[in-house]
Amino acid sequence: MSKKEVVLVVAMLAGLNFGKVMAQTPDNTPRSSIALEHGSHRLGKRTDPMMEKWRNYGLGQFIHWGVYSITAGKWEGKDYPGASSWIRSWSEMPAEDYDQLYLQFDPERFDPQSWAKQAKAMGAKYMIITTKHHDGFCLWPSKFTEYDIASTPYKKDLIGPMVEAYEAEGIDVYLYFSVMDWNHPGFRTDLKTAEDREAYEEFKTFTRNQILELLERYPNTKGLWFDGTWDAAWKEQADFADKLESEMREMIPGIIIGSRFRPDDYGNRHFDSNGDLMGDYEQGWERKLPEGIEDVKGNDWDCVMTVPENQWGYHYDWKGHVKTSFELVEMLVKSVSLNGNFVLNFGPDRYGEFRNEERKLFKEIGDWMEINQEAIYGCGYLDWEKQDWGYYTKDRETGKIYMVVFNMPINGALRIKTPEKVHLDKVYELKSPSKIFVPEEIHKDEYFVHYPVDQPGKSPIVIVIESSKTQEEGKTYQRAKT
Ligand code: LM5
């Protein structure tokens, strides 16, 4: 390249950067970015105690409950093909009929203490409850609408007793809130006319009032899980949503709000126009999991998962594949191994009871957690080469490594490939620590742990590795011999 060409290229690059400002990335390498008033307000993870606690939950419980548990996926004998909580949007069901269902809502068998005990027995460290779903029905008595629990035959608040009961079991409570509200007259998906804009202003005021009302009523709320923020109308509300999020953060210091709440100046959601995460964690993993660590881009995240394919609220008949506890535990472990939380959804029926399939899962997941919880709580990613037998997790505090084995090889030989200069000090089964394994070194940094296949453990089994880093390779060899 001639000098002239070099000058030209440099000038072109400078030109490309025109109008951009320099920002700092978490690792302090400079990067260019476009100026945003309502973009990400923080680069990198939050490191305060409330967020540390969130990061270490591992397992959460989601509950979808509302008047859709009455229709339960069926209207006048016809099955609605979608998620039961979306039935109001179905052409076969008149919205006027749906909007009368609350007059029958009387969950007389609602027992928040037993709900909380079940969640605790499963091993959930936090729970997220639908205070208001897309239909607009409020499970708390709201000052700002009549379409709430106070107007039902049941009358009493449902959220307060849940917060109290779960807190009493040591489970943190998070509030789900759908911004999209099919019941509010001012709600719009698009703002096409001046009339739309006027109506939407009313809706924004109402939304703000309700969110602040919730935080005022339930000051122990640890965070908010927003939903229904995908419409064009909301995507124009960067300024309003940013201010409202600040208000929430002022009301409850340390409150945790995911990436689904506010759009940026250009209407981008989750990640702003520079690709930086907005909010405290990525809230985009709904009914799907990241494949590998690259997919989570160094951010905190949660995965919310249904037991059947796509049912959140109660449905009278789960169709299609219903996940087993084995599959769900695998999803939980995979989430933790990729630095995320796994939140499993439950949909109680109109009376406030959990279906048998769900009760079975509380028990089966709980039984597994009772023995193996150490591999979940406080654990995250380990950068060792992934093996086909399952997933590694690593305790962020103790540094202990867990091999969670979902595919036990027929000969019981579990391969481990360590980074250089890592020594396997002690390897044993979590449920019986006296069962010590002596890894067979088959190549440099490559081992087999031989699991006794004639004494099968109840799968998925967990093997603990206590390891240390050695200074020189010679030392590794020396220590391996002893
Ligand atoms: C699906 C996949 C990624 C983002 C959003 C969606 C659509 N989500 C929903 O309709 C609502 N979210 C669930 C937690 C549930 O409340 C469902 O109604």
Side-chain angles (χ1 to χ4, degrees):
M1 209 186 278
S2 73
K3 224 175 175 183
K4 231 181 177 175
E5 283 169 328
V6 172
V7 172
L8 201 73
V9 169
V10 170
M12 271 167 57
L13 288 173
L16 280 176
N17 250 356
F18 186 75
K20 297 184 178 184
V21 294
M22 299 304 272
Q24 294 288 305
T25 52
D27 63 0
N28 282 328
T29 49
R31 58 191 281 289
S32 67
S33 63
I34 56 168
L36 294 171
E37 206 178 327
H38 305 296
S40 168
H41 297 318
R42 183 201 64 251
L43 293 178
K45 293 180 180 180
R46 257 174 69 175
T47 54
D48 56 285
M50 271 180 84
M51 197 69 200
E52 295 279 357
K53 192 177 184 203
W54 184 94
R55 191 169 296 133
N56 290 327
Y57 288 144
L59 178 61
Q61 178 191 36
F62 211 153
I63 292 186
H64 274 70
W65 200 31
V67 298
Y68 40 80
S69 66
I70 298 173
T71 36
K74 194 158 76 175
W75 179 248
E76 290 185 335
K78 279 176 289 211
D79 283 349
Y80 169 57
S84 67
S85 43
W86 279 78
I87 198 168
R88 190 187 185 278
S89 66
W90 186 32
S91 54
E92 299 279 340
M93 173 154 199
E96 307 81 71
D97 288 337
Y98 186 94
D99 291 344
Q100 298 301 308
L101 289 173
Y102 74 106
L103 296 171
Q104 302 169 46
F105 192 54
D106 191 9
E108 57 206 20
R109 298 202 277 276
F110 171 54
D111 176 359
Q113 282 80 19
S114 85
W115 285 25
K117 284 199 166 72
Q118 267 181 137
K120 168 110 175 180
M122 179 178 77
K125 291 283 186 192
Y126 71 124
M127 81 87 101
I128 309 169
I129 175 68
T130 49
T131 58
K132 176 176 98 168
H133 205 248
H134 313 326
D135 59 9
F137 177 74
C138 301
L139 272 66
W140 81 98
S142 176
K143 279 190 280 194
F144 304 100
T145 179
E146 297 286 297
Y147 193 46
D148 67 353
I149 191 70
S151 313
T152 68
Y154 186 78
K155 292 197 180 72
K156 303 175 286 272
D157 181 19
L158 293 170
I159 301 299
M162 264 188 257
V163 175
E164 221 172 276
Y166 276 78
E167 290 249 309
E169 293 295 334
I171 299 174
D172 286 347
V173 179
Y174 289 69
L175 306 181
Y176 168 107
F177 184 93
S178 171
V179 169
M180 177 165 81
D181 184 325
W182 298 327
N183 189 262
H184 193 276
F187 176 73
R188 298 286 184 280
T189 54
D190 265 302
L191 305 178
K192 293 197 190 95
T193 64
E195 189 279 325
D196 284 341
R197 286 182 188 279
E198 210 181 304
Y200 204 71
E201 284 308 308
E202 291 269 315
F203 171 70
K204 280 158 65 182
T205 303
F206 167 74
T207 300
R208 176 176 174 273
N209 284 340
Q210 285 207 318
I211 294 170
L212 300 183
E213 179 182 44
L214 280 169
L215 298 185
E216 204 174 285
R217 287 183 63 98
Y218 313 110
N220 286 337
T221 300
K222 300 296 183 291
L224 291 154
W225 206 97
F226 286 104
D227 204 2
T229 52
W230 43 71
D231 292 313
W234 184 255
K235 286 200 258 180
E236 289 179 33
Q237 309 306 325
D239 183 56
F240 172 77
D242 201 1
K243 284 200 180 105
L244 181 50
E245 192 177 301
S246 302
E247 283 186 277
M248 296 179 227
R249 294 189 188 280
E250 265 163 46
M251 269 179 90
I252 300 190
I255 196 166
I256 293 166
I257 301 168
S259 64
R260 227 181 251 209
F261 183 59
R262 63 186 179 89
D264 83 348
D265 311 47
Y266 295 91
N268 282 314
R269 299 171 59 244
H270 298 282
F271 294 92
D272 69 15
S273 304
N274 293 314
D276 297 320
L277 181 73
M278 290 184 285
D280 300 321
Y281 64 97
E282 194 197 344
Q283 219 186 331
W285 300 100
E286 176 166 328
R287 289 194 296 119
K288 65 177 184 211
L289 282 167
E291 292 255 321
I293 198 71
E294 352 38 87
D295 295 337
V296 308
K297 306 184 189 92
N299 291 310
D300 285 312
W301 58 276
D302 74 355
C303 165
V304 292
M305 187 55 71
T306 51
V307 177
E309 274 155 27
N310 182 26
Q311 291 297 340
W312 300 91
Y314 182 80
H315 191 288
Y316 86 98
D317 180 19
W318 277 352
K319 295 174 181 73
H321 178 65
V322 175
K323 295 173 196 76
T324 63
S325 55
F326 184 93
E327 290 171 288
L328 293 166
V329 169
E330 178 162 3
M331 289 175 173
L332 160 67
V333 173
K334 185 173 183 185
S335 299
V336 170
S337 80
L338 297 174
N339 284 330
N341 285 328
F342 185 70
V343 187
L344 185 58
N345 182 73
F346 294 83
D349 68 15
R350 59 181 297 181
Y351 306 106
E353 286 193 318
F354 291 85
R355 64 201 305 142
N356 290 335
E357 296 98 318
E358 289 182 345
R359 285 169 188 272
K360 195 164 165 250
L361 287 173
F362 281 125
K363 168 92 176 78
E364 290 178 0
I365 297 172
D367 285 349
W368 188 84
M369 285 293 281
E370 200 178 324
I371 300 167
N372 301 299
Q373 52 179 266
E374 223 186 280
I376 302 295
Y377 303 141
C379 290
Y381 177 68
L382 173 71
D383 61 351
W384 290 10
E385 186 189 274
K386 167 104 175 65
Q387 303 298 328
D388 289 341
W389 43 253
Y391 307 89
Y392 290 110
T393 66
K394 181 184 174 182
D395 189 299
R396 297 188 175 102
E397 225 158 73
T398 65
K400 278 190 196 167
I401 292 164
Y402 301 91
M403 297 166 59
V404 190
V405 180
F406 291 91
N407 312 306
M408 179 64 77
I410 289 174
N411 65 359
L414 301 166
R415 184 177 182 269
I416 299 173
K417 173 94 171 65
T418 68
E420 269 181 54
K421 298 177 191 173
V422 167
H423 182 253
L424 306 178
D425 298 337
K426 193 178 170 195
V427 182
Y428 54 95
E429 187 161 3
L430 179 56
K431 72 163 195 274
S432 43
S434 58
K435 206 154 137 191
I436 306 272
F437 298 105
V438 181
E440 178 197 0
E441 189 167 13
I442 46 172
H443 292 294
K444 185 177 168 298
D445 301 325
E446 197 181 330
Y447 307 84
F448 274 140
V449 162
H450 294 282
Y451 191 85
V453 275
D454 52 328
Q455 309 157 34
K458 201 171 167 257
S459 189
I461 61 121
V462 178
I463 292 171
V464 189
I465 302 175
E466 293 179 15
S467 72
S468 56
K469 285 213 168 90
T470 53
Q471 292 312 305
E472 335 120 43
E473 283 171 62
K475 214 165 149 196
T476 313
Y477 180 65
Q478 286 292 316
R479 292 180 58 181
K481 276 211 301 190
T482 57

